[in-house]
Amino acid sequence: MNPRTPRSSEPTAAEAGAWADVLVRRRLVHTAVLAPTGQWLVQDRPDGPLRVLMGPADLVALAAIIQHHTRTMRPETR
């Protein structure tokens, strides 16, 4: 596995929005909505608690955590 290259810039709202769409479409979270304040409101399950993420970087970090968890939990197919 290659080490991660550090980002050269902060994630944008557009990038976070794209990741939010992927997470919802793939049913990895129930909802992810951008609030007028720039915060993201995320709910894992319809009846679950609402999490407030402070901005795009937090949403992209959440996507990375979910992606890492998904990849490490599936059996190797090599």
Side-chain angles (χ1 to χ4, degrees):
M1 179 177 230
N2 296 332
R4 283 188 56 177
T5 307
R7 290 183 63 104
S8 61
S9 63
E10 286 293 311
T12 64
E15 180 181 1
W19 276 112
D21 287 344
V22 169
L23 294 174
V24 171
R25 191 172 52 242
R26 300 262 180 185
R27 296 184 178 156
L28 298 169
V29 298
H30 174 67
T31 191
V33 178
L34 177 61
T37 60
Q39 297 172 318
W40 284 88
L41 308 177
V42 179
Q43 197 173 23
D44 293 333
R45 301 177 320 273
D47 60 345
L50 188 64
R51 287 193 279 172
V52 179
L53 305 180
M54 297 313 293
D58 290 338
L59 193 285
V60 172
L62 174 64
I65 290 166
I66 291 171
Q67 185 179 43
H68 176 75
H69 179 74
T70 301
R71 288 184 177 182
T72 58
M73 294 304 292
R74 68 180 172 198
E76 287 295 321
T77 56
R78 297 178 203 192

Short mmCIF file of all heavy atoms in Angstrom, two decimals, residues 19-32 42-45 51 62-63 65-71:
data_model
loop_
_atom_site.label_atom_id
_atom_site.label_comp_id
_atom_site.label_asym_id
_atom_site.label_seq_id
_atom_site.Cartn_x
_atom_site.Cartn_y
_atom_site.Cartn_z
N TRP A 19 -18.65 14.04 -2.33
CA TRP A 19 -18.50 12.91 -1.42
C TRP A 19 -19.80 12.62 -0.68
O TRP A 19 -20.16 11.46 -0.47
CB TRP A 19 -17.37 13.16 -0.43
CG TRP A 19 -16.03 12.80 -1.01
CD1 TRP A 19 -15.02 13.65 -1.32
CD2 TRP A 19 -15.57 11.49 -1.34
NE1 TRP A 19 -13.97 12.95 -1.84
CE2 TRP A 19 -14.27 11.63 -1.85
CE3 TRP A 19 -16.12 10.22 -1.25
CZ2 TRP A 19 -13.52 10.53 -2.28
CZ3 TRP A 19 -15.38 9.13 -1.67
CH2 TRP A 19 -14.09 9.29 -2.18
N ALA A 20 -20.52 13.65 -0.26
CA ALA A 20 -21.79 13.45 0.42
C ALA A 20 -22.76 12.69 -0.48
O ALA A 20 -23.44 11.76 -0.03
CB ALA A 20 -22.39 14.79 0.84
N ASP A 21 -22.81 13.07 -1.76
CA ASP A 21 -23.68 12.37 -2.72
C ASP A 21 -23.32 10.89 -2.81
O ASP A 21 -24.19 10.02 -2.83
CB ASP A 21 -23.60 13.00 -4.10
CG ASP A 21 -24.29 14.34 -4.18
OD1 ASP A 21 -25.10 14.66 -3.28
OD2 ASP A 21 -24.04 15.07 -5.16
N VAL A 22 -22.02 10.60 -2.88
CA VAL A 22 -21.56 9.21 -2.98
C VAL A 22 -21.95 8.43 -1.72
O VAL A 22 -22.46 7.31 -1.81
CB VAL A 22 -20.03 9.14 -3.21
CG1 VAL A 22 -19.51 7.72 -3.03
CG2 VAL A 22 -19.69 9.68 -4.59
N LEU A 23 -21.72 9.02 -0.56
CA LEU A 23 -22.03 8.32 0.69
C LEU A 23 -23.52 8.01 0.81
O LEU A 23 -23.90 6.91 1.24
CB LEU A 23 -21.58 9.17 1.90
CG LEU A 23 -20.08 9.35 2.05
CD1 LEU A 23 -19.79 10.32 3.19
CD2 LEU A 23 -19.36 8.04 2.26
N VAL A 24 -24.36 8.94 0.40
CA VAL A 24 -25.81 8.71 0.47
C VAL A 24 -26.24 7.72 -0.62
O VAL A 24 -27.00 6.78 -0.34
CB VAL A 24 -26.59 10.05 0.35
CG1 VAL A 24 -28.08 9.80 0.21
CG2 VAL A 24 -26.29 10.93 1.55
N ARG A 25 -25.76 7.90 -1.83
CA ARG A 25 -26.15 7.02 -2.93
C ARG A 25 -25.75 5.57 -2.67
O ARG A 25 -26.50 4.65 -2.98
CB ARG A 25 -25.52 7.52 -4.24
CG ARG A 25 -26.06 6.85 -5.47
CD ARG A 25 -25.58 7.48 -6.77
NE ARG A 25 -24.13 7.61 -6.81
CZ ARG A 25 -23.48 8.77 -6.90
NH1 ARG A 25 -24.14 9.90 -6.96
NH2 ARG A 25 -22.17 8.81 -6.94
N ARG A 26 -24.59 5.37 -2.05
CA ARG A 26 -24.11 4.01 -1.74
C ARG A 26 -24.67 3.49 -0.41
O ARG A 26 -24.30 2.41 0.05
CB ARG A 26 -22.59 3.99 -1.69
CG ARG A 26 -21.93 4.38 -2.96
CD ARG A 26 -21.54 3.20 -3.71
NE ARG A 26 -20.88 3.58 -4.96
CZ ARG A 26 -20.53 2.71 -5.84
NH1 ARG A 26 -20.74 1.44 -5.61
NH2 ARG A 26 -19.97 3.09 -6.96
N ARG A 27 -25.52 4.30 0.22
CA ARG A 27 -26.18 3.96 1.48
C ARG A 27 -25.18 3.71 2.61
O ARG A 27 -25.40 2.86 3.47
CB ARG A 27 -27.12 2.78 1.29
CG ARG A 27 -28.25 3.11 0.35
CD ARG A 27 -29.21 1.99 0.23
NE ARG A 27 -30.29 2.42 -0.66
CZ ARG A 27 -31.04 1.60 -1.34
NH1 ARG A 27 -30.86 0.31 -1.24
NH2 ARG A 27 -31.99 2.07 -2.11
N LEU A 28 -24.10 4.47 2.59
CA LEU A 28 -23.12 4.40 3.66
C LEU A 28 -23.51 5.35 4.79
O LEU A 28 -23.07 5.17 5.93
CB LEU A 28 -21.73 4.71 3.12
CG LEU A 28 -21.26 3.71 2.07
CD1 LEU A 28 -20.01 4.22 1.36
CD2 LEU A 28 -21.03 2.35 2.69
N VAL A 29 -24.30 6.36 4.48
CA VAL A 29 -24.96 7.21 5.47
C VAL A 29 -26.39 7.42 4.98
O VAL A 29 -26.68 7.29 3.79
CB VAL A 29 -24.26 8.59 5.68
CG1 VAL A 29 -22.84 8.40 6.20
CG2 VAL A 29 -24.28 9.43 4.44
N HIS A 30 -27.28 7.75 5.91
CA HIS A 30 -28.68 7.97 5.53
C HIS A 30 -28.84 9.33 4.85
O HIS A 30 -29.51 9.45 3.82
CB HIS A 30 -29.58 7.88 6.76
CG HIS A 30 -30.99 8.24 6.48
ND1 HIS A 30 -31.80 7.47 5.67
CD2 HIS A 30 -31.75 9.30 6.87
CE1 HIS A 30 -32.98 8.05 5.58
NE2 HIS A 30 -32.99 9.15 6.31
N THR A 31 -28.22 10.35 5.43
CA THR A 31 -28.32 11.69 4.86
C THR A 31 -27.08 12.51 5.19
O THR A 31 -26.44 12.30 6.21
CB THR A 31 -29.59 12.42 5.34
OG1 THR A 31 -29.79 13.60 4.58
CG2 THR A 31 -29.52 12.77 6.81
N ALA A 32 -26.75 13.41 4.30
CA ALA A 32 -25.65 14.37 4.50
C ALA A 32 -26.08 15.66 3.80
O ALA A 32 -26.21 15.70 2.58
CB ALA A 32 -24.34 13.85 3.93
N VAL A 42 -25.11 15.20 9.24
CA VAL A 42 -24.98 13.82 8.79
C VAL A 42 -25.72 12.90 9.74
O VAL A 42 -25.61 13.03 10.96
CB VAL A 42 -23.49 13.41 8.71
CG1 VAL A 42 -23.34 11.97 8.26
CG2 VAL A 42 -22.72 14.34 7.78
N GLN A 43 -26.44 11.97 9.16
CA GLN A 43 -27.18 10.97 9.94
C GLN A 43 -26.85 9.60 9.35
O GLN A 43 -27.02 9.38 8.15
CB GLN A 43 -28.66 11.27 9.87
CG GLN A 43 -29.50 10.62 10.91
CD GLN A 43 -30.93 11.10 10.85
OE1 GLN A 43 -31.41 11.58 9.83
NE2 GLN A 43 -31.62 10.97 11.96
N ASP A 44 -26.37 8.68 10.18
CA ASP A 44 -26.01 7.34 9.70
C ASP A 44 -27.24 6.49 9.38
O ASP A 44 -27.23 5.73 8.42
CB ASP A 44 -25.15 6.61 10.74
CG ASP A 44 -23.79 7.28 10.92
OD1 ASP A 44 -23.31 7.92 9.97
OD2 ASP A 44 -23.21 7.15 12.01
N ARG A 45 -28.27 6.60 10.22
CA ARG A 45 -29.50 5.83 10.07
C ARG A 45 -30.69 6.78 10.20
O ARG A 45 -30.57 7.82 10.84
CB ARG A 45 -29.61 4.77 11.17
CG ARG A 45 -28.48 3.78 11.24
CD ARG A 45 -28.66 2.81 12.42
NE ARG A 45 -29.15 3.40 13.66
CZ ARG A 45 -28.37 3.95 14.60
NH1 ARG A 45 -27.08 4.01 14.43
NH2 ARG A 45 -28.89 4.46 15.70
N ARG A 51 -25.32 14.21 13.41
CA ARG A 51 -23.97 14.72 13.70
C ARG A 51 -23.78 16.02 12.95
O ARG A 51 -24.23 16.17 11.82
CB ARG A 51 -22.91 13.73 13.22
CG ARG A 51 -22.82 12.51 14.08
CD ARG A 51 -21.57 11.75 13.77
NE ARG A 51 -21.78 10.93 12.58
CZ ARG A 51 -20.83 10.25 11.97
NH1 ARG A 51 -19.60 10.30 12.40
NH2 ARG A 51 -21.10 9.53 10.92
N LEU A 62 -14.62 12.19 7.02
CA LEU A 62 -15.59 11.14 7.29
C LEU A 62 -15.65 10.15 6.12
O LEU A 62 -15.66 8.94 6.33
CB LEU A 62 -16.99 11.72 7.55
CG LEU A 62 -18.11 10.71 7.71
CD1 LEU A 62 -17.89 9.84 8.95
CD2 LEU A 62 -19.46 11.41 7.77
N ALA A 63 -15.66 10.66 4.91
CA ALA A 63 -15.68 9.79 3.72
C ALA A 63 -14.43 8.90 3.70
O ALA A 63 -14.52 7.71 3.39
CB ALA A 63 -15.77 10.63 2.45
N ILE A 65 -12.66 7.89 6.30
CA ILE A 65 -12.79 6.89 7.36
C ILE A 65 -13.72 5.76 6.92
O ILE A 65 -13.40 4.58 7.10
CB ILE A 65 -13.32 7.55 8.66
CG1 ILE A 65 -12.24 8.46 9.25
CG2 ILE A 65 -13.78 6.50 9.67
CD1 ILE A 65 -12.74 9.40 10.32
N ILE A 66 -14.84 6.11 6.33
CA ILE A 66 -15.80 5.10 5.87
C ILE A 66 -15.16 4.26 4.77
O ILE A 66 -15.28 3.02 4.77
CB ILE A 66 -17.10 5.76 5.38
CG1 ILE A 66 -17.85 6.34 6.58
CG2 ILE A 66 -17.98 4.76 4.64
CD1 ILE A 66 -19.04 7.21 6.21
N GLN A 67 -14.46 4.90 3.85
CA GLN A 67 -13.81 4.17 2.76
C GLN A 67 -12.75 3.21 3.32
O GLN A 67 -12.68 2.05 2.92
CB GLN A 67 -13.18 5.15 1.78
CG GLN A 67 -12.57 4.50 0.57
CD GLN A 67 -11.99 5.52 -0.38
OE1 GLN A 67 -11.34 6.47 0.05
NE2 GLN A 67 -12.22 5.33 -1.66
N HIS A 68 -11.95 3.67 4.26
CA HIS A 68 -10.93 2.82 4.86
C HIS A 68 -11.57 1.63 5.57
O HIS A 68 -11.14 0.48 5.41
CB HIS A 68 -10.08 3.62 5.84
CG HIS A 68 -9.07 2.78 6.56
ND1 HIS A 68 -7.93 2.33 5.96
CD2 HIS A 68 -9.06 2.30 7.82
CE1 HIS A 68 -7.24 1.59 6.83
NE2 HIS A 68 -7.92 1.57 7.96
N HIS A 69 -12.62 1.90 6.34
CA HIS A 69 -13.32 0.83 7.06
C HIS A 69 -13.92 -0.19 6.09
O HIS A 69 -13.80 -1.40 6.30
CB HIS A 69 -14.41 1.44 7.94
CG HIS A 69 -15.19 0.41 8.70
ND1 HIS A 69 -14.68 -0.26 9.78
CD2 HIS A 69 -16.45 -0.07 8.51
CE1 HIS A 69 -15.59 -1.11 10.23
NE2 HIS A 69 -16.66 -1.01 9.48
N THR A 70 -14.52 0.30 5.01
CA THR A 70 -15.13 -0.59 4.02
C THR A 70 -14.07 -1.47 3.37
O THR A 70 -14.27 -2.67 3.20
CB THR A 70 -15.86 0.24 2.95
OG1 THR A 70 -16.86 1.02 3.61
CG2 THR A 70 -16.51 -0.64 1.91
N ARG A 71 -12.94 -0.89 3.03
CA ARG A 71 -11.87 -1.66 2.37
C ARG A 71 -11.21 -2.65 3.30
O ARG A 71 -10.79 -3.72 2.86
CB ARG A 71 -10.83 -0.71 1.79
CG ARG A 71 -11.35 0.01 0.59
CD ARG A 71 -10.28 0.87 -0.02
NE ARG A 71 -10.81 1.49 -1.23
CZ ARG A 71 -10.11 2.27 -2.01
NH1 ARG A 71 -8.85 2.55 -1.72
NH2 ARG A 71 -10.65 2.79 -3.09
#
